[in-house]
Amino acid sequence: MLTELSIQDFAIIDKISITFDEGLTVLSGETGAGKSIIIDAIQLLAGGRGSVEFVRYGAKKADIQGLFTIDNSNHPIYEKSQAYGIEIQNDIVLRRTITANGKSICRVNSKLVTLAILKEFGKTLIDIHSQHETQSLMDTDNHIHLLDLYDPERIGQAKKEYSILYEQLSTLKKKYRKLSENEQETAQRLDLLQFQMNELENAKLEPHEDEVLAEERNSLANFERIHAALQHAYNALYGEQRGLEWVNNAQMALQDNSNIDPFIAEKSEEIANYYFGLEELTHDIGHHIETLAFDSERLNEIESRLDEINRLKKKYGATVDEILQYMSQIEEEIEEINNKDSHLSKLENQINDKAKDAYLEAKELHDLRQKAADSLTKEIHEELKGLYLEKATFSVSFLLQDKDIGVKRDDYQDIRLHENGFDQINFMISTNPGEPIKELSKVASGGELSRIMLALKKIFARHQGVTSVIFDEVDTGVSGRVAQAIAEKIHHISQQSQVLCITHLPQVAAMADTHKLIEKQVDNNHTSTKVIELSVDYQVNELARMITGTKLTETAIEHGREMLEMAVNFKSKNKHNYKEKARK
């Protein structure tokens, strides 16, 4: 769960630190006080898109840190941490800094990471649900991903296995299309490849030739310096009153007295070894000097050859080895074009074999989705009953895609594979008895969409494994008994995951295990946000304010107290039932 959140110089927040507990935490306050800004900060921690507009006016940077506690040793965050070489134990810290010039800096447990990696960690820890997300239900392209979330372990593994085959099949199809281009394009391609091959064959390149020639050119270009350095070293070692003679004198002095002192004997042997080593080194230097010869013609040849190699590098590769590799590739392509028919026949067989394998994996994926859809439909109906949509009929429609790669299933029907298999998933619903079932986007109102998404969230909270679920004003547009039902549903979710909820509904706020009030303060033209954790008495007053929307009255306070007592009783009873179910 999210244990602590630290925000500095973010929007109208100068500096706050908020501690969160398990269960349901409600954030309430007047419009514009900064409730959604706190959620924006958490969203940035989860890898959301940043902007310089988030940096508080006059500040150099905005800084957000979140401490998460992981209780489940099988949590997917551990797999992510191993993949990216980040060590975690029971706690993990996500940090996001946005500078005034727009630079975004991301860290996980103090290690710098890319925004994409931060997002990978964030999506395993945080699930943010807003009014905007409710609209994602209108997009049928999202339905297949929502269904797959219902059984992420089995469907996820099947998708991985299918994706490998699908990518291999796609590669083979691209290769087939490229090889079966029209005759004119193929002839033009062959002419180009043969020209390149002739040019490269005439160059007669050798592996690492550019490196060898560059080294030889360096020696010739610096001949005088090399010769002078070697000659100076040789002169310093060899000759009368030079280095070797003095070392030999030292050796003889010790050797003459080696029989009278063990230390002298030991050091005499050491210096003898040094002398013979230096003597051999001196002979090597002298011999190398004799082999040195400056050849201006050879230097010109090398320069000319390197110019030719550099010209080829501009066209075919950064190094000679890359050019030779490219030469091997075009040789293979020329052979394929010259023997196009046989290669096409071979590719057709490979495509057919791979397509059959991919179809079998897609069929298995389809079967798993069918089972998941049946179970999801039953659970959705149960959840919708508790949200006063008991007359609604929900179903999952399976259609076949008709694009991308074709695979013949039998003599009568072609199935089109895509990156998710061959299924096109569409959530269908009828909200009133007697009405035909239709696409969700064509039937549901805004309030109905919110309830359907909330039902999905409650179900998925058990499957996704995220530590914190965040609701940002998802209860907008509902009231009365529906508002109470939504409050109870959010409470149910908080028994499986930590829930943070921004709300204007007193029914939802009354269910809070922790209620935090967000207030905006203005001092000396300086605007800031303050977070106050409410005691029971102040929580009653806040509920009364949410009920009336104006000044507090005794009636509103009494109503708020009753609402809080009802919520306490509901939670106590529900907690007992939850424990009974867990025990069974």
Side-chain angles (χ1 to χ4, degrees), residues 367-378:
D367 293 342
L368 288 172
R369 286 185 177 131
Q370 285 277 18
K371 293 178 182 178
D374 292 342
S375 182
L376 175 63
T377 300
K378 293 176 183 177

Side-chain angles (χ1 to χ4, degrees), residues 460-511:
F460 292 154
R462 298 195 301 271
H463 301 275
Q464 288 179 277
V466 293
T467 64
S468 302
V469 179
I470 298 172
F471 294 107
D472 185 7
E473 298 189 19
V474 297
D475 45 28
T476 301
V478 299
S479 59
R481 65 175 188 169
V482 174
Q484 182 62 34
I486 286 178
E488 293 173 3
K489 199 66 65 179
I490 290 175
H491 169 71
H492 285 304
I493 297 173
S494 72
Q495 292 185 310
Q496 300 164 31
S497 300
Q498 178 194 45
V499 173
L500 312 180
C501 181
I502 291 179
T503 185
H504 291 287
L505 287 179
Q507 292 93 333
V508 175
M511 287 288 180

Side-chain angles (χ1 to χ4, degrees), residues 221-463:
N222 295 280
F223 173 82
E224 292 184 1
R225 290 181 61 185
I226 294 170
H227 186 276
L230 290 171
Q231 189 65 56
H232 183 74
Y234 181 81
N235 292 338
L237 290 169
Y238 188 77
E240 189 176 348
Q241 299 297 309
R242 302 300 175 111
L244 271 178
E245 184 174 337
W246 285 107
V247 174
N248 186 50
N249 290 340
Q251 176 199 191
M252 297 303 297
L254 293 177
Q255 187 175 3
D256 290 344
N257 296 282
S258 61
N259 60 341
I260 61 175
D261 187 283
F263 176 80
I264 291 177
E266 178 185 348
K267 298 306 173 185
S268 173
E269 185 176 349
E270 285 186 24
I271 202 169
N273 291 333
Y274 292 143
Y275 173 77
F276 292 129
L278 282 172
E279 186 178 43
E280 183 177 353
L281 173 63
T282 303
H283 290 159
D284 288 344
I285 292 174
H287 176 71
H288 190 68
I289 292 172
E290 292 176 358
T291 63
L292 288 178
F294 179 72
D295 188 343
S296 59
E297 290 186 5
R298 176 57 182 164
L299 181 59
N300 290 334
E301 288 176 4
I302 292 173
E303 292 288 2
S304 177
R305 180 61 171 172
L306 286 174
D307 286 343
E308 181 183 7
I309 291 174
N310 288 332
R311 180 180 60 80
L312 295 174
K313 283 181 178 181
K314 292 178 181 179
K315 298 169 66 175
Y316 304 116
T319 65
V320 168
D321 287 351
E322 287 186 16
I323 295 174
L324 292 174
Q325 185 178 359
Y326 177 74
M327 186 177 175
S328 177
Q329 292 173 357
I330 62 175
E331 183 178 17
E332 181 179 339
E333 189 174 349
I334 288 172
E335 193 274 333
E336 284 183 351
I337 293 175
N338 286 330
N339 300 279
K340 186 172 73 171
D341 291 341
S342 62
H343 280 285
L344 285 175
S345 177
K346 183 180 178 181
L347 280 172
E348 283 180 357
N349 292 331
Q350 290 175 340
I351 288 170
N352 287 334
D353 291 341
K354 192 66 67 178
K356 291 176 183 177
D357 292 339
Y359 168 74
L360 290 175
E361 288 295 338
K363 181 64 169 62
E364 182 178 351
L365 191 55
H366 169 79
D367 293 342
L368 288 172
R369 286 185 177 131
Q370 285 277 18
K371 293 178 182 178
D374 292 342
S375 182
L376 175 63
T377 300
K378 293 176 183 177
E379 285 202 59
I380 285 287
H381 282 139
E382 288 299 315
E383 297 298 332
L384 292 180
K385 286 179 184 178
L387 290 166
Y388 296 101
L389 283 172
E390 63 275 3
K391 302 297 184 181
T393 302
F394 177 89
S395 70
V396 180
S397 171
F398 284 77
L399 303 173
L400 294 180
Q401 283 280 26
D402 57 356
K403 60 182 180 181
D404 293 334
I405 297 173
V407 179
K408 196 158 188 176
R409 186 177 66 173
D410 52 39
D411 293 338
Y412 308 102
Q413 186 178 20
D414 285 342
I415 287 185
R416 302 286 175 177
L417 298 178
H418 55 86
E419 60 183 6
N420 291 310
F422 56 66
D423 295 318
Q424 178 180 334
I425 305 300
N426 200 343
F427 290 165
M428 313 288 285
I429 195 167
S430 170
T431 54
N432 297 302
E435 291 184 355
I437 195 164
K438 295 180 181 179
E439 292 181 12
L440 187 65
S441 59
K442 296 179 179 178
V443 177
S445 65
E448 289 167 340
L449 280 174
S450 294
R451 282 181 276 175
I452 294 168
M453 179 58 87
L454 193 58
L456 288 169
K457 287 292 179 183
K458 182 177 182 297
I459 294 169
F460 292 154
R462 298 195 301 271
H463 301 275

Side-chain angles (χ1 to χ4, degrees), residues 179-197:
L179 189 58
S180 60
E181 291 172 346
N182 65 56
E183 292 297 327
Q184 184 178 359
E185 291 178 349
T186 302
Q188 291 173 350
R189 176 66 177 168
L190 182 60
D191 286 344
L192 173 62
L193 293 175
Q194 287 176 334
F195 171 81
Q196 292 177 342
M197 179 61 74

